[in-house]
Structure formats: C-alpha cells, structure tokens
Amino acid sequence: MPASPKSDMFWSTVPETDEQRWEVLRRVRAVDPCALIPRADLSRFGSVVRVEARRPEWCSTVMEATGRTKIDWSLLFAPNGLHIGEGARATTVGAAKVTMLADVDADPSKKDELVERKCTATVTLPSTVAVMLFVTTPLGTEPCSVVEEVVPALLANLNRSPGQGTSPDTPKTVLHGTDPCRVARGFGATPSIEAQQVWKCIFTYRGDTVLVEYTYDQEKLFAEGEPLIVNGRRVYRKDLDEARASTALVGPEIFTAEPAFMGPRFPVVTVLGKDAATVEEVVRQVASYFPAA
C-alpha cells in the first residue's frame, strides 16, 4: 500500500497484509463523510435544506426543488464485499464498482403503490472501502440517476482523503482521531481485522464476545435509570434479552439541524456483551479515555 497519506492510489490499491488492512480501517475512519459530496454538488438537486453528520461515518442531506430529494451515505469497511439484493445493476467508475438497486427493480409489484422513489447503491473500491448510498426522490423521477451524478465527485473527493471536520457541516467531536479497538489491545486481546467495522470493534475477552461502538446517539435512546459515574462521565446500563449493554456519554451535545424528538445527540461509546462483569470492566476502561472537561 502507498505510504503517503494523500496518495490518490491508496483507495484503489488492494491490501495484501493484515497490517495494510488495519491501515485502511484507520484511514477510512479519518475521512469526513460529509466532505465527500459537498453542498456545491448537492445544490444541483435543489436548494440545500440540511446537511448533517448523523454518525462519524454517516452523512444525511435534504434538498428542496419541485419536490424533496434526500441523500444519505455512509463509509464502510467491507473486506467480504456487499450485496444489496436481486435485480441490482452494476457498472464501473474508474477503479470503483457501482451497484444500484431501484425500488421498482427490487419489487415491481409495488410500483403503483409508491409515494416516492428510492434507490440503494454501493460504491466499492479495491481497498475494500465502500460507500453505501440511500437516495429518495419525488415520483416521476429516477432516483438511481442521482447516484450516477454524484459518484464521480464522491470518488474524486475520497481520493483527497478529507479529514474529519473538513465539511463546515461536520462538528468536531471527541471521537475523531480515536480507535474503537484501543480497549481490546489494552486488555491483551487480538481483534480479527475481518470482523471489524469502521467505528466498531469486535473482540473476545474473558471468553465473551464484546462489541465496542463509537457513535452519536440521541439521549432518550440510551439514558435510562440512574447512571454510573466513571471518570466524570455518565454510563447507562441496560439488560437485553441475552446481553448487557453499557453506554458511556463521552462528550458534549452535538448540534442537530432537525427536531430532536428523542432528545439531543451526544458522542457515546456503547459496549455490548453477554457477561455483565466483562461489559462493565470494558466500559469503565473506555470511559477513562474521555475524561470530563
């Protein structure tokens, strides 16, 4: 793999070793998703109403013209490829494979019931990085044509590796520049690169499979009961059917452009596992990485 962090060939080069695959994961985590399709490119679909970094890897946008167009996209680490369903059509743009599936192709029987049009697409690069797009457009339009229009700019911007915070619509948060697998290595665990996702780490500790996710979430979705205070950070615990989830609120509120019906959004770290004691040990350690301001 090229050593230069700004090499245009990085995303088009197949990683050959685990070390190179971990570097791909580190690099894609550093990319600002909202900078991949900036407002100047979005404005061709109408007046830009909203651009928002929903998660560290996910950008959500809305444009208004004669109707409403929505484009959501997220960065993925996909060493095993992606499949979006039967009936999808594939093409190539440079080194990228672009696969698109329109709603009418996924289920032709529903054509007369549609109130809007939808297209799901994946853009997969040889580096095993992918971008998944979800497009919604008004009736009478072809949503997959929106994908075809934005992909060249998306790939050109990805080649520049825009760092988190490049887009004026992306808030700088405490999660940027962090590694979800830091805690695993601190416990002496060896995560398998094939099992990882961009902002999630999966590893085995004390015989339990543990998932650690760094993300943004709305307060009412995780804040239940009396929190545990760890290093000045609130940690909320929840018992699931066969697992325990603990969520640490690790940073200040993130600005939200649309009504926050489920409360304000915060950067959080969620730990999931079957053994409550293991989950608590892991979440305590993770919370210590983000001391209260």
Side-chain angles (χ1 to χ4, degrees):
M1 299 286 285
S4 170
K6 295 298 181 184
S7 170
D8 285 352
M9 292 300 296
F10 184 89
W11 306 108
S12 300
T13 304
V14 179
E16 297 179 352
T17 67
D18 280 356
E19 181 180 359
Q20 292 172 349
R21 294 181 185 95
W22 281 109
E23 175 64 8
V24 170
L25 190 57
R26 185 193 68 79
R27 284 278 303 276
V28 73
R29 197 181 297 132
V31 170
D32 183 340
C34 290
L36 298 182
I37 313 178
R39 284 177 176 257
D41 293 303
L42 293 168
S43 63
R44 72 181 70 178
F45 307 110
S47 175
V48 179
V49 176
R50 183 181 76 243
V51 179
E52 190 165 64
R54 287 287 183 89
R55 295 178 181 173
E57 79 286 0
W58 177 15
C59 193
S60 177
T61 68
V62 175
M63 284 67 63
E64 287 278 11
T66 54
R68 174 164 283 206
T69 295
K70 302 177 184 178
I71 312 175
D72 282 33
W73 63 94
S74 63
L75 285 157
L76 304 172
F77 178 65
N80 299 314
L82 295 170
H83 180 68
I84 58 173
E86 300 301 324
R89 58 186 177 92
T91 185
T92 57
V93 178
K97 178 182 178 182
V98 182
T99 305
M100 294 172 283
L101 181 62
D103 42 16
V104 294
D105 297 322
D107 190 352
S109 69
K110 301 293 186 182
K111 182 177 180 180
D112 294 335
E113 301 175 17
L114 299 175
V115 296
E116 58 188 6
R117 295 296 314 279
K118 293 181 182 292
C119 179
T120 302
T122 59
V123 181
T124 307
L125 288 144
S127 60
T128 70
V129 163
V131 182
M132 180 164 274
L133 298 101
F134 303 92
V135 175
T136 303
T137 60
L139 285 178
T141 62
E142 291 299 328
C144 288
S145 67
V146 173
V147 175
E148 293 171 338
E149 287 192 58
V150 301
V151 163
L154 183 154
L155 291 171
N157 288 319
L158 179 60
N159 278 338
R160 300 185 184 99
S161 297
Q164 292 277 11
T166 298
S167 168
D169 297 296
T170 299
K172 181 64 178 175
T173 80
V174 295
L175 298 185
H176 295 162
T178 61
D179 179 0
C181 281
R182 174 184 174 183
V183 68
R185 299 186 183 99
F187 286 131
T190 305
S192 167
I193 184 61
E194 287 79 10
Q196 306 314 312
Q197 299 179 36
V198 177
W199 286 95
K200 294 180 182 179
C201 185
I202 300 172
F203 60 98
T204 300
Y205 180 55
R206 288 181 169 178
D208 193 9
T209 298
V210 178
L211 183 148
V212 177
E213 179 179 18
Y214 286 25
T215 191
Y216 309 147
D217 211 348
Q218 291 180 279
E219 188 173 30
K220 289 184 181 179
L221 296 176
F222 65 84
E224 295 182 8
E226 189 69 23
L228 174 73
I229 304 300
V230 178
N231 212 35
R233 294 296 187 189
R234 286 179 281 162
V235 176
Y236 294 90
R237 294 165 288 182
K238 182 188 298 184
D239 288 319
L240 307 175
D241 289 343
E242 296 183 358
R244 162 68 69 87
S246 286
T247 298
L249 192 160
V250 296
E253 177 182 344
I254 298 170
F255 171 76
T256 302
E258 60 182 349
F261 298 112
M262 299 303 291
R265 280 191 308 144
F266 293 91
V268 299
V269 177
T270 294
V271 179
L272 183 68
K274 290 185 176 181
D275 181 70
T278 299
V279 169
E280 182 161 331
E281 182 179 359
V282 173
V283 79
R284 281 179 175 274
Q285 185 61 38
V286 172
S288 74
Y289 301 155
F290 302 92

